[in-house]
Amino acid sequence: MGPEGKTLLNIIILGFGFMFMFTAFQTCGNIEQTVIKSFNSTEFHGSGYTSMAIIYGVFSASNLIAPSVVAVIGPQLSMFFSGLVYSGYIAMFIHPFTWSFYTASVVVGIAAAILWTAQGNLLTINSTDATIGRNSGIFWALLQFSLFFGNMYIYFAWHGHVHISDNDRQTVFISLTVISLVGSFLFFLIQKPEPEATPSEASESLLQTESTESASIVALDAFSESEFIGCFLLQSVMSATKLTFYSGVYGTCIGAMTQFGDDAKSLIGLSGIFIGLGEILGGGVFGMLNKCNRFGRNPVVLLGLITHFVAFYLIFLNIASDAPIAPEEGTHLQAYITPSVEVALLCSFLLGLGDSCFNTQLLSIVGFMFREDSASAFAVFKFVQSITAALAFFYSNYLLLHWQLLIMVVVGFLGTLSFFVAEWVVVSSRRDTDFDSI
């Protein structure tokens, strides 16, 4: 096998490893608040929202040290050990205790920063300028399939269950732990690229940065990169609020709707499947196929905004306001229309589609704006996104659904405007740049 074939195989293995790991972890995040409400133990006093807030809070701080860890032990071992931590967090739900729940949340936050730093490193050293777009698309598509498979399992495992018993919980989380471990061990199949395989400029920049600068300097240097940083940070906030809602809150809301009948709990998994379908469709159309460049990024971002606003409005009409904070027996309140499973699943699909519209274009413009120091820019992006996600998961414990939707509408509108401004400045100041090469 030639050098190019070996690096392509490495990318595919990387994608499958993350697909297995996040089939387990994203499914865990989607159902954990519902599972916690069903615990038969009076000694457990944890909250899934608080756990996710801790994870993202620690994740944000750990971005300052993660590149140094990856530089010392290498991306392959970094991903393997981080994967073991993810598996431990999932396994904790087999026999949960409050102390182990929150301790695992802290540790997995550290592991997340190391995992994603190593992923970016491995992706770039296995890519050239000609293949970085293709390889990113392959990785994105494989990662998004994790939403599909994990939630399909939940749908069939919990179909017809009104209450999640201890046996149901243990069966699900044992299975998810095994799936996560499979993903971790897949990383050992990744081979070292051939020396003659020329890495991309982004890879060289990342490797040089990790060996000569501390992570804190790397992150801080990005703030002086360009005048676009205000818009960039606002887009990070927008991305984080949406991530929080569709990855944890919305599934809990659906599971709390008693009007959906005995299948309400299994609908959490079905909702995740539809989110995944939206993500895969949008990622394929706007990311891998990349057919919209001649029209610029703004039409795709505008489509994402409209898609999200439609979804938020339908959720507001269809889901009871107290659904995010309802007790284990669910809510008996009704919103403004007769609750409809079909509308709820349509909203799941729209959330995934809208998110993929934003993400594909956000990654594109960040890579273009910070071409010479993309590692610094993405470090800042993850830092701000993680802090915002932690805050969003924290207020999800207390705010009614309509207030959470209002926050996302306001942040989404402002974030989209900031994207339009950034895109306009990019086009105006770099008219001589070959735009189709982005």
Side-chain angles (χ1 to χ4, degrees), residues 224-246:
S224 61
E225 282 293 317
S226 76
E227 64 274 19
F228 305 126
I229 197 65
C231 299
F232 173 55
L233 296 181
L234 189 53
Q235 291 158 29
S236 304
V237 172
M238 175 184 67
S239 174
T241 54
K242 297 188 287 84
L243 169 70
T244 302
F245 187 75
Y246 83 75

Side-chain angles (χ1 to χ4, degrees), residues 171-188:
T171 300
V172 165
F173 282 98
I174 288 173
S175 301
L176 294 180
T177 301
V178 173
I179 292 171
S180 179
L181 287 171
V182 170
S184 300
F185 281 96
L186 278 177
F187 296 138
F188 282 119

Side-chain angles (χ1 to χ4, degrees), residues 86-281:
Y86 272 71
S87 301
Y89 177 82
I90 297 167
M92 180 274 308
F93 283 94
I94 299 173
H95 293 290
F97 299 95
T98 305
W99 67 267
S100 62
F101 179 49
Y102 288 127
T103 301
S105 300
V106 172
V107 178
V108 83
I110 300 172
I114 297 173
L115 178 75
W116 285 104
T117 300
Q119 178 271 333
N121 185 305
L122 200 63
L123 180 67
T124 53
I125 65 178
N126 281 278
S127 302
T128 65
D129 289 336
T131 62
I132 185 67
R134 179 202 66 184
N135 291 347
S136 298
I138 292 172
F139 176 79
W140 172 270
L142 290 172
L143 175 63
Q144 297 311 313
F145 270 107
S146 64
L147 287 168
F148 183 80
F149 294 119
N151 287 291
M152 179 179 288
Y153 170 68
I154 293 299
Y155 174 72
F156 287 108
W158 288 358
H159 187 68
H161 289 214
V162 178
H163 175 79
I164 308 304
S165 67
D166 288 344
N167 185 61
D168 293 333
R169 184 193 74 245
Q170 290 168 357
T171 300
V172 165
F173 282 98
I174 288 173
S175 301
L176 294 180
T177 301
V178 173
I179 292 171
S180 179
L181 287 171
V182 170
S184 300
F185 281 96
L186 278 177
F187 296 138
F188 282 119
L189 298 179
I190 296 175
Q191 306 174 59
K192 186 177 181 180
E194 296 290 340
E196 58 267 24
T198 304
S200 66
E201 291 179 5
S203 173
E204 293 173 352
S205 174
L206 179 59
L207 293 174
Q208 182 180 4
T209 298
E210 288 176 349
S211 62
T212 61
E213 298 183 288
S214 68
S216 58
I217 296 177
V218 169
L220 290 176
D221 282 348
F223 282 101
S224 61
E225 282 293 317
S226 76
E227 64 274 19
F228 305 126
I229 197 65
C231 299
F232 173 55
L233 296 181
L234 189 53
Q235 291 158 29
S236 304
V237 172
M238 175 184 67
S239 174
T241 54
K242 297 188 287 84
L243 169 70
T244 302
F245 187 75
Y246 83 75
S247 66
V249 177
Y250 187 56
T252 301
C253 292
I254 291 178
M257 293 293 292
T258 57
Q259 294 91 337
F260 289 160
D262 293 345
D263 287 338
K265 296 293 187 291
S266 64
L267 288 176
I268 299 174
L270 199 57
S271 170
I273 292 173
F274 276 84
I275 291 174
L277 291 175
E279 291 275 11
I280 294 168
L281 175 63

Side-chain angles (χ1 to χ4, degrees), residues 382-404:
K382 281 293 184 182
F383 181 78
V384 177
Q385 185 188 53
S386 301
I387 291 177
T388 307
L391 177 62
F393 273 115
F394 178 76
Y395 70 59
S396 296
N397 278 304
Y398 307 102
L399 293 186
L400 296 175
L401 179 62
H402 57 271
W403 292 115
Q404 297 192 39

Side-chain angles (χ1 to χ4, degrees), residues 20 39 64 69 78-79 82 96 130 145 153 180 185 204 221 260 272 307 313 320 323 334 339 344 359 378 380:
F20 276 96
F39 282 165
L64 301 176
V69 175
S78 296
M79 291 190 299
S82 297
F145 270 107
Y153 170 68
S180 179
F185 281 96
E204 293 173 352
D221 282 348
F260 289 160
T307 302
Y313 180 66
Q334 182 171 316
N359 277 333
F378 282 107
V380 175

